[in-house]
Amino acid sequence: TEDILRYKTDAIEFTINGGGGGEIQTNAVYRDPTAWHHVFVKYDSNASGGAGDYMRMFVNGAEVTSFATDSNPSSGLDSNLLDGAIIAVGAYPDGSQNFSGYLADLIVTDNGNESVTDFGEYDSDTGIWIPKDPSTLTYGGNSFWLAFDDPSYATYGVGKDSSGRGNHFTPVSLG
């Protein structure tokens, strides 16, 4: 089973697969290939707000509430993301569905207490959403931060985990 965050037909889709899995896909489309987007998703199948709060998505600091697809997972369903499953960045684990774009950072935490404002804020002069420095975050055991900024880093190159947890990725099929 796979947990997926991807662009799909110009929309953004977040999927938790498995028995009773869920999926949300934006009604909004994101077609400007030169635009920077900050996408924050949160999964908590035990959220106190009920099924509508299990899967949440924010784009550039604003919560997305209008979805073309909005199916919620079963209460208590664990994600496979940080449970030893293969994590593919930029493609499906089988190598298909390649991402065509740039990633500045990929941060996954297993703390569960983060909010979108831990990762970004609105610039007081421009009103534009800007990222915060991820080095100030607290990273739990299976968390990782791929900053994609150190291609010379020994074995892992762009797969270096910058969180300090040592959860490095092995780059495959780059090119």
Side-chain angles (χ1 to χ4, degrees):
T1 60
E2 300 164 338
D3 298 335
I4 301 168
L5 175 63
R6 67 178 178 157
Y7 284 92
K8 179 181 178 184
T9 319
D10 298 328
I12 301 173
E13 175 190 68
F14 176 39
T15 304
I16 299 293
N17 281 333
E23 174 185 352
I24 53 178
Q25 180 180 324
T26 61
N27 272 320
V29 293
Y30 303 88
R31 293 188 175 129
D32 182 352
T34 65
W36 176 86
H37 294 106
H38 177 269
V39 180
F40 173 86
V41 294
K42 184 168 185 163
Y43 177 67
D44 180 357
S45 64
N46 295 309
S48 60
D53 284 344
Y54 293 170
M55 299 177 75
R56 297 175 66 195
M57 181 185 299
F58 298 76
V59 177
N60 298 334
E63 185 164 12
V64 177
T65 58
S66 177
F67 296 102
T69 303
D70 189 359
S71 61
N72 289 290
S74 301
S75 177
L77 177 71
D78 284 334
S79 163
N80 295 321
L81 183 61
L82 297 173
D83 291 337
I86 293 173
I87 299 174
V89 177
Y92 278 18
D94 67 4
S96 68
Q97 307 264 340
N98 292 322
F99 173 69
S100 178
Y102 297 100
L103 295 172
D105 290 284
L106 176 63
I107 301 168
V108 176
T109 67
D110 64 356
N111 304 335
N113 298 321
E114 293 82 8
S115 71
V116 68
T117 56
D118 291 324
F119 296 88
E121 62 192 353
Y122 290 104
D123 182 281
S124 60
D125 294 327
T126 65
I128 295 173
W129 184 258
I130 56 174
K132 287 184 178 177
D133 180 359
S135 67
T136 63
L137 295 170
T138 300
Y139 294 92
N142 291 323
S143 300
F144 59 87
W145 166 24
L146 301 181
F148 306 111
D149 64 351
D150 191 357
S152 65
Y153 180 73
T155 305
Y156 304 106
V158 295
K160 175 186 174 185
D161 175 14
S162 297
S163 74
R165 302 299 304 174
N167 296 319
H168 305 294
F169 282 56
T170 301
V172 188
S173 301
L174 298 176

